[in-house]
Amino acid sequence: MSNAQIEIQLIASMVAIACAIPGTFLVLRKMALITDAISHSILPGIVIGFFITHDLSSPLLIILAAASGVITVILVEFIQKTGLVKEDTAIGLVFPALFSIGIILIAQNANDVHLDVDAVLLGELAFAPFDRLIMGGTDLGPKSLWIIGTILLITLGLLFTFFKELKVSTFDAGLASALGLSPVVIHYGLMTVSSITTVGAFDAVGAILVIALMIAPAATAYLLTNDLKKMLSLSVFFGVSSAITGYWVAHAIDSSISGSMTTVLGLVFLAVYLFAPNKGLFSVLYRQKQQRIEVSLLTFLLHLSNHKEKEERHVKHLNEHINWQKVQSKSVLDLALKNNMIKIDDDIVSLTKKGKKFTTKAIDYIITNKNSEIENIKDRFFLFRG
Amino acid sequence: MNNKIAVQIDDLTVAYNYKPVLWDIDLSIPEGVLMAIVGPNGAGKSTLIKSILDIIKPIAGSIQIYGKPYKKQRSLVAYVPQKGSVDWDFPTTALDVVMMGTYGSLGWIKRPGQKEKKASLEALEKVGMLAFKNRQISQLSGGQQQRIFLARALVQNASIYFMDEPFQGVDATTEKAIINILKELRKAGKTVIVVHHDLQTVPEYFDWVTFLNVKKIATGPVKDIFNDDNLTKTYGINYKVSVQQ
């Protein structure tokens, strides 16, 4: 690996971490759309900053961009508060307006300044190592590494200092306010950090793809854990690993780095969405199938315990009687047999002692409305699940 | 009950978009009462609690907790919001939610330690939820979630408790358990203020009641003022409820 390659991966990883942290809280606050708005509406801030400083990595530019991000949030909330339109409409009104101001400013001054729309929208990580910070003749590394490094340090510092406040105001803003831990301060703090991170990340991935780096890792982590701290670490992990994998994919197919990184993020989310142990699609489908057959089993056992007459308990009769398909009756019978719930003599089905006990308990729970308890007795009685 | 006033509200008016939802409320809540706030939907019951807790800013009037503004008396007050006001899919455990009750006394930046954890476990035990301390909150039933909220208020060890519809969507067992804890709090000299919907249970559960419908209709001991006259004034014409006293 060349020096430039290492530097690019380092920048990409730091961008990913810096994005994943505010991203986690934005996802939990159901504010994913606001990142979309911020990432677009910082453009006028960047353009005006660039006109003043003629330097894409100047701190003034970052401050102006962050300010226009916060202004976006304030405008959205202001329009929303009028009660005339909903939040999504307010977002849809504000950010195109600010973004277009930026576009017009760029277009009007295109001859004087070197700032093109493509670079702003898509970023170009491959060029990052060429713009270096040189102080007193020594080369201190790429400028963007210093910028994102500083932003990341501030973000991490704020996260560790205000973790408790972030958590309570995200979960229950009313309580946070009553306790004197102002959720408004936390809200605007988070918005400011998100805006600054967006500016810092945009060199690397551009204004559009930064949304993916904020939202996708957090959304992926959300499917895998029930613990906020783990969710944060998992988002960071998914962000960094996708960023590095994306870089090498781009290298291999000789294509856009930011595009590859985002594609990897999307694929990782898809894989987790399908295969996550509890919330994943396959896991949910499997559980539903299991539930269906176990409810049928319970119905079947109830029927047996309700009927002493032989003709009601004949194997053939059960097919027509409970009105099930052949396949279903067979799998229910098999499941009951495997679990020693029933015995079959001369095609007449009857409950075993264990089957009786299970049925009585289950009825009891159903009658007293404690359906959640049924899962527990299933664990105790079943040798095999449906 | 003594003569001390726990909460004093004078000329309180609250408006959303210049439309008053609470109009010129005067209300004194004596220390040591278990009080129900009743009134129809949109009467401003939750708004009243939120204004007392400084979550909503009123356009006029003053509110005092033991003679001082809320901001100076936060540590004396615990709050149980409506269960539906939070996202129960939030990635956290029952114990962690109860620990949030200690954040107020900790203040900014300081983190909860062993002392806060111990207090939270005790509160969980009090509401019969200790066995569920590590359970993710989305895997709790509605009644269990309400108990967790109650435990979070208990851990604040306050003098005044505000609860917004604590009986909404809970089963009969949980309702009994909650009201028993509230009665215990009253016995210990605490003041408990509950937004309540089920008029039938008012005489059984509460000793004090406030009728509210944008304006204050009446406030006082249940045995004196919980009658068809006040119910009719609050809920509209000819409201009848069978009251067993």
Side-chain angles (χ1 to χ4, degrees):
Chain A
M1 258 189 285
S2 73
N3 251 344
Q5 283 181 322
I6 293 171
E7 278 169 4
I8 289 174
Q9 289 176 72
L10 202 57
I11 294 170
S13 303
M14 283 167 118
V15 166
I17 301 171
C19 285
I21 292 167
T24 300
F25 289 98
L26 291 169
V27 166
L28 289 174
R29 287 168 174 248
K30 301 174 178 64
M31 291 176 68
L33 208 56
I34 205 88
T35 31
D36 193 10
I38 290 176
S39 67
H40 283 78
S41 54
I42 56 172
L43 186 64
I46 289 170
V47 176
I48 293 167
F50 188 75
F51 287 161
I52 299 172
T53 62
H54 289 268
D55 177 6
L56 254 181
S57 48
S58 138
L60 178 74
L61 188 134
I62 294 176
I63 291 164
L64 282 177
S68 51
V70 174
I71 288 170
T72 315
V73 178
I74 293 171
L75 283 176
V76 167
E77 279 165 7
F78 177 78
I79 294 178
Q80 205 186 334
K81 264 191 200 135
T82 61
L84 299 173
V85 294
K86 299 266 179 270
E87 189 188 7
D88 54 346
T89 313
I91 290 174
L93 285 167
V94 171
F95 85 79
L98 288 170
F99 187 66
S100 55
I101 293 173
I103 298 280
I104 291 173
L105 285 175
I106 293 179
Q108 277 203 319
N109 299 279
N111 299 329
D112 309 330
V113 294
H114 178 68
L115 179 70
D116 68 276
V117 181
D118 276 2
V120 170
L121 288 184
L122 302 173
E124 195 37 271
L125 202 49
F127 298 148
F130 297 124
D131 190 9
R132 307 193 75 83
L133 183 70
I134 293 166
M135 263 182 173
T138 15
D139 179 1
L140 297 172
K143 265 187 192 166
S144 27
L145 190 63
W146 282 93
I147 295 171
I148 196 64
T150 312
I151 292 173
L152 179 58
L153 269 181
I154 294 171
T155 306
L156 281 171
L158 289 172
L159 174 72
F160 284 114
T161 316
F162 297 109
F163 181 71
K164 177 184 97 208
E165 287 77 7
L166 273 164
K167 183 166 68 178
V168 67
S169 66
T170 302
F171 175 62
D172 190 343
L175 179 82
S177 165
L179 293 177
L181 304 169
S182 170
V184 179
V185 170
I186 293 291
H187 173 71
Y188 283 106
L190 181 63
M191 289 302 120
T192 310
V193 169
S194 305
S195 305
I196 292 175
T197 307
T198 306
V199 194
F202 125 160
D203 236 4
V205 290
I208 294 179
L209 298 182
V210 67
I211 307 157
L213 276 171
M214 288 215 175
I215 304 308
T220 313
Y222 183 72
L223 297 179
L224 288 171
T225 177
N226 288 325
D227 179 319
L228 180 56
K229 282 180 188 162
K230 278 187 201 147
M231 184 173 164
L232 277 163
S233 351
L234 278 174
S235 318
V236 166
F237 167 76
F238 285 127
V240 171
S241 52
S242 305
I244 292 176
T245 315
Y247 170 74
W248 287 106
V249 170
H251 189 74
I253 62 174
D254 192 17
S255 181
S256 150
I257 298 174
S258 53
S260 307
M261 269 165 42
T262 317
T263 309
V264 172
L265 279 168
L267 291 175
V268 169
F269 177 80
L270 180 67
V272 171
Y273 166 74
L274 292 176
F275 301 108
N278 283 312
K279 298 181 188 166
L281 184 65
F282 288 132
S283 162
V284 168
L285 287 178
Y286 177 75
R287 243 193 342 267
Q288 279 172 353
K289 182 183 154 273
Q290 192 182 46
Q291 293 281 352
R292 206 162 45 230
I293 195 135
E294 285 177 2
V295 165
S296 307
L297 173 70
L298 201 54
T299 317
F300 172 62
L301 295 177
L302 284 180
H303 180 81
L304 289 178
S305 80
N306 280 341
H307 293 281
K308 299 284 165 278
E309 321 81 286
K310 275 197 176 158
E311 64 269 26
E312 289 281 350
R313 295 191 280 123
H314 194 278
V315 173
K316 290 241 170 66
H317 182 80
L318 288 169
N319 280 343
E320 313 145 26
H321 204 94
I322 316 190
N323 209 3
W324 284 337
Q325 306 287 324
K326 267 224 165 79
V327 187
Q328 195 184 357
S329 327
K330 193 177 174 316
S331 50
V332 169
L333 263 179
D334 283 349
L335 184 64
L337 270 175
K338 268 200 294 194
N339 282 307
N340 304 327
M341 300 277 190
I342 54 166
K343 53 179 185 282
I344 305 177
D345 303 311
D346 294 337
D347 279 358
I348 301 295
V349 190
S350 50
L351 288 172
T352 59
K353 222 175 179 181
K354 184 183 167 195
K356 270 183 199 145
K357 215 168 142 194
F358 174 76
T359 315
T360 328
K361 279 235 163 107
I363 300 174
D364 219 40
Y365 284 135
I366 291 168
I367 291 172
T368 53
N369 220 353
K370 287 185 191 154
N371 287 318
S372 54
E373 300 289 338
I374 290 180
E375 279 308 307
N376 297 334
I377 62 161
K378 276 184 193 167
D379 282 343
R380 268 186 283 133
F381 278 87
F382 282 13
L383 304 167
F384 302 93
R385 298 298 296 256
Chain B
M1 204 192 86
N2 52 35
N3 294 325
K4 247 183 167 176
I5 298 298
V7 183
Q8 177 68 44
I9 300 171
D10 294 305
D11 313 319
L12 176 74
T13 298
V14 181
Y16 292 131
N17 292 323
Y18 311 109
K19 183 181 169 291
V21 282
L22 286 174
W23 206 316
D24 202 27
I25 307 283
D26 295 305
L27 183 62
S28 298
I29 306 172
E31 182 180 54
V33 297
L34 177 46
M35 183 179 97
I37 303 175
V38 298
N41 289 332
K45 304 184 293 290
S46 299
T47 306
L48 178 62
I49 287 192
K50 284 181 184 159
S51 326
I52 297 172
L53 294 164
D54 206 28
I55 298 172
I56 294 174
K57 306 271 173 250
I59 58 170
S62 77
I63 299 163
Q64 303 213 300
I65 311 280
Y66 284 113
K68 285 183 194 155
Y70 175 75
K71 275 191 177 133
K72 294 198 171 146
Q73 305 282 51
R74 279 187 214 283
S75 60
L76 299 179
V77 178
Y79 170 47
V80 179
Q82 280 187 27
K83 188 158 63 64
S85 68
V86 305
D87 173 15
W88 290 94
D89 285 325
F90 190 83
T92 191
T93 60
L95 175 61
D96 201 40
V97 171
V98 177
M99 298 256 279
M100 288 179 192
T102 67
Y103 289 5
S105 59
L106 285 167
W108 287 85
I109 299 172
K110 235 178 118 188
R111 288 169 188 228
Q114 282 307 313
K115 192 180 127 214
E116 283 75 21
K117 192 174 175 188
K118 199 169 149 256
S120 306
L121 289 171
E122 280 167 15
L124 273 172
E125 173 134 55
K126 229 177 259 176
V127 299
M129 288 292 294
L130 193 56
F132 298 88
K133 63 178 171 153
N134 292 325
R135 189 72 72 88
Q136 208 276 323
I137 52 172
S138 67
Q139 287 157 15
L140 298 169
S141 71
Q144 290 170 331
Q145 291 172 343
Q146 193 65 59
R147 286 175 193 231
I148 293 298
F149 260 17
L150 181 59
R152 190 177 71 179
L154 291 178
V155 85
Q156 288 181 252
N157 199 14
S159 304
I160 310 174
Y161 291 80
F162 290 95
M163 311 207 166
D164 204 343
E165 302 199 21
F167 305 120
Q168 198 182 43
V170 308
D171 55 51
T173 339
T174 302
E175 182 159 335
K176 281 273 159 343
I178 293 177
I179 196 66
N180 284 337
I181 290 171
L182 300 190
K183 284 180 174 173
E184 261 174 50
L185 286 172
R186 178 185 51 189
K187 233 183 253 168
K190 318 275 189 183
T191 310
V192 184
I193 295 142
V194 179
V195 171
H196 193 57
H197 252 307
D198 182 9
L199 293 170
Q200 307 290 339
T201 54
V202 169
E204 187 193 335
Y205 291 173
F206 301 96
D207 58 5
W208 209 263
V209 63
T210 293
F211 290 95
L212 189 73
N213 191 356
V214 185
K215 292 195 239 179
K216 185 192 77 179
I217 312 295
T219 185
V222 170
K223 60 177 172 16
D224 297 342
I225 67 157
F226 194 71
N227 51 39
D228 284 349
D229 185 32
N230 279 327
L231 284 165
T232 305
K233 276 188 201 155
T234 310
Y235 287 88
I237 42 163
N238 288 330
Y239 196 95
K240 290 275 177 196
V241 63
S242 57
V243 180
Q244 300 112 25
Q245 299 233 0

